[in-house]
Structures are given as structure tokens and as C-alpha cells.
Amino acid sequence: QFINYWIALEFIFASSSSKDSTYSRIKKNLVNILSACYVKRNILYLEHWMTREGMLEDEENLIKMINGDEKEWTLDKILLKFRFKNMKSHLHHKDKIKEYIDNHETHLLQHISRIYRLRNELVHEAALKQDIENVASNLRFYLVFVLNQMIDYFSDKTANIKPKSMLQFFWNYEKCLKAIKTPGKTDVVSVISHIHIAKSYIV
């Protein structure tokens, strides 16, 4: 499974040019996609959690709540309050959101390097590591997430982009990530709110 997931990722990020390194393209584009979506994914997770706890109505939006007035919190929701205030602090300070995403990017790059090293050991030395199942699970998440985003992007007929291409797909995330992290040039909350997280076409 581990090798199959890696081969699938290589196929997605491969280039027609023999001069391009598929591994380098994975490190660049996969990290861009996951990092650009990181804050929005966390917001949606927090939003779902708060809705489940009865702290948000179904039609309420967490980003609007973050930009609005403080709400009253009960003591039994102290962890949720901490998560909410932490996210609000990130979104209202561009240097904090940049550091938040930079830390995630560093973690992703380290983990992808580790996955690639395990891949080489498995292919060339048939060396199985004890935690290969956990790593394969992470690799599967990366693959499924990218596939869902691709399906959503290429099936969306409302986007005025013709013809759509993988390069355009990758560039969209690179552009969003740069907009989030470039100080003083964009409204970070607006950029993040417009990042689309695809529904689970593949689970």
C-alpha cells in the first residue's frame, strides 16, 4: 500500500520534462497545496466542533464570528474557547499566521523527506520499518486530499479558466499561499475564506 500511494503521488506530480525531478515537484507543490489549505481546514474542523457542541447555529459562519464581538463562554467549554481565541489571534495578526503556516510547512517537508527515505529503503533494500503503517496512513491522507481537490477543480464549470491544466492547479495554491504570507498586501481572512476545501469524493 505504501508503495502504491507513493507511485500515485509521483504520477500526479510528474513532469513531461526529463529535466524535472518528480520528488522536487512533490516537495514544492504538495506542500503548497497542503499549506494553503491548512488554516481553512482547521477553521472548518473548529466550526464543525462548535456546531456539534451547540455553540454555533447551522447557518452561522466561524470566520464572521471571529471578526465579530466576543461571545459568552461557559467553563465546560474551556478547551474550545482556547482553540477559538488562538485561531482568532492567528487570523488578526499576519506575522502569526505566517509563523503558523511556516511551522506546518517545515513539518511537512521533514515528513515527506522521511517518507521518501523509507520509500528508497523499501524499494532498494526491502527494509520494512515498524511504523510503516502509520506513515502509509499519512501518505494516503496526502494522496486522497490532493485527489479530492483535483476532482473538485477540474469538475467546476463555474471557474472561468480555459483550458484547465495541472500547472494552473498548482499555481492557484502557490498564489494563495503567497497572498496569505505576504505582509500588508492582502486581507488574510478574505483569502483564507475563499480557499475551497473539496468534499470527500474519495474517502
Side-chain angles (χ1 to χ4, degrees), residues 185-201:
K185 296 216 174 169
T186 52
D187 176 7
V188 177
V189 176
S190 177
V191 174
I192 291 172
S193 66
H194 284 90
I195 291 173
H196 185 64
I197 306 297
K199 65 181 181 180
S200 298
Y201 299 99

Side-chain angles (χ1 to χ4, degrees), residues 23-183:
Y23 175 54
S24 295
R25 286 169 61 86
I26 289 174
K27 284 201 299 181
K28 177 186 176 182
N29 294 305
L30 177 59
V31 169
N32 282 345
I33 293 168
L34 294 171
S35 298
C37 296
Y38 180 59
V39 180
K40 182 66 176 286
R41 279 179 47 232
N42 288 346
I43 287 172
L44 292 176
Y45 172 78
L46 188 56
E47 192 172 79
H48 178 71
W49 186 4
M50 292 175 69
T51 301
R52 194 173 64 241
E53 293 291 327
M55 302 176 71
L56 274 178
E57 300 296 331
D58 289 337
E59 67 276 4
E60 281 189 289
N61 182 289
L62 183 59
I63 289 181
K64 289 181 180 177
M65 182 179 172
I66 284 172
N67 286 331
D69 298 328
E70 285 288 335
K71 291 185 102 176
E72 292 296 323
W73 299 83
T74 57
L75 289 176
D76 62 325
K77 302 293 191 299
I78 192 71
L79 177 58
L80 208 45
K81 178 180 179 180
F82 171 77
R83 292 279 182 90
F84 174 80
K85 285 186 172 293
N86 202 33
M87 182 60 71
K88 185 172 184 177
S89 175
H90 286 320
L91 291 177
H92 285 180
H93 299 88
K94 198 147 192 174
D95 55 337
K96 288 189 177 182
I97 201 72
K98 183 179 183 303
E99 182 182 0
Y100 186 51
I101 294 174
D102 282 345
N103 289 337
H104 185 62
E105 280 185 295
T106 299
H107 172 75
L108 284 171
L109 286 167
Q110 290 172 343
H111 198 51
I112 290 168
S113 296
R114 179 170 176 248
I115 289 171
Y116 187 63
R117 188 169 62 251
L118 288 173
R119 174 258 185 208
N120 289 340
E121 290 175 357
L122 185 58
V123 169
H124 299 297
E125 303 171 21
L128 282 175
K129 302 295 182 180
Q130 287 186 340
D131 60 345
I132 192 73
E133 290 186 5
N134 289 332
V135 178
S137 177
N138 295 148
L139 191 55
R140 186 185 187 280
F141 170 78
Y142 298 158
L143 174 63
V144 170
F145 186 82
V146 171
L147 284 173
N148 281 327
Q149 294 297 110
M150 285 172 58
I151 292 169
D152 196 77
Y153 173 76
F154 286 103
S155 61
D156 182 11
K157 296 180 180 178
T158 62
N160 189 25
I161 304 171
K162 295 181 181 180
K164 292 182 179 180
S165 68
M166 287 302 294
L167 284 177
Q168 186 71 41
F169 175 72
F170 295 149
W171 180 77
N172 284 342
Y173 292 100
E174 185 175 351
K175 180 182 67 172
C176 286
L177 191 57
K178 185 176 181 181
I180 294 169
K181 293 169 68 174
T182 302

